[in-house]
């Protein structure tokens, strides 16, 4: 495997980690500060959250997880800037 393939693999690992950490963030939030939002939805219903939805959370665990998500997003943006979307084979999909 060459350098660029390793870079692409690292980027994919970041994307996977971001998804896992963001899922953990939502799960923690739904059982604490956002419990009232969770109660509005029935089992199986889906709702999409953005990281910014948690900007005003006061739970330190939510804040820590959001910080981690933002740090991963910064790393991904930097890798895109350094390598370009085409070199990471993303074709505009972040």
């Amino acid at each position: 495997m060459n350098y660029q393939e390793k870079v692409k693999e690292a980027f994919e690992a970041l994307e996977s980690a971001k998804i896992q950490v963001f899922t953990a963030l939502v799960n923690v939030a739904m059982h604490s500060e956002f419990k009232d939002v969770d109660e509005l939805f029935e089992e199986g219903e889906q709702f999409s959250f953005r990281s910014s939805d948690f900007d005003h959370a006061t739970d330190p665990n939510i804040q820590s997880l959001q910080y981690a998500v933002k740090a991963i997003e910064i790393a991904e943006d930097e890798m895109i800037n350094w390598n370009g979307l085409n070199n990471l084979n993303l074709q505009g999909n972040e």
Side-chain angles (χ1 to χ4, degrees), residues 3-15 71-90 94:
Y3 173 78
Q4 195 58 43
E5 290 168 335
K6 288 293 185 185
V7 169
K8 181 179 180 240
E9 186 177 89
F11 185 87
E12 290 169 351
L14 281 174
E15 184 63 20
I72 293 169
E73 288 172 343
I74 290 168
E76 286 179 322
D77 288 344
E78 289 176 351
M79 289 184 77
I80 290 169
N81 290 335
W82 294 324
N83 297 283
L85 289 174
N86 291 336
N87 289 334
L88 294 172
N89 292 328
L90 299 177
E94 294 183 62

Side-chain angles (χ1 to χ4, degrees), residues 57-70:
T58 58
D59 182 321
N61 293 304
I62 295 171
Q63 292 172 345
S64 293
L65 291 165
Q66 187 179 32
Y67 178 82
V69 169
K70 288 180 179 185

Side-chain angles (χ1 to χ4, degrees), residues 1 4 14-15 17-18 22 27-28 31 34-36 39-40 42-43 46 52 54-55 63-65 70-71 87 90 93:
M1 199 174 263
Q4 195 58 43
L14 281 174
E15 184 63 20
K18 180 176 75 174
F22 188 74
N27 289 335
V28 168
H31 285 84
F34 290 75
K35 190 172 189 144
D36 56 333
E39 292 171 355
L40 295 174
E42 293 184 27
E43 187 73 31
Q46 292 186 355
S52 62
F54 304 101
D55 282 349
Q63 292 172 345
S64 293
L65 291 165
K70 288 180 179 185
N87 289 334
L90 299 177
N93 297 326

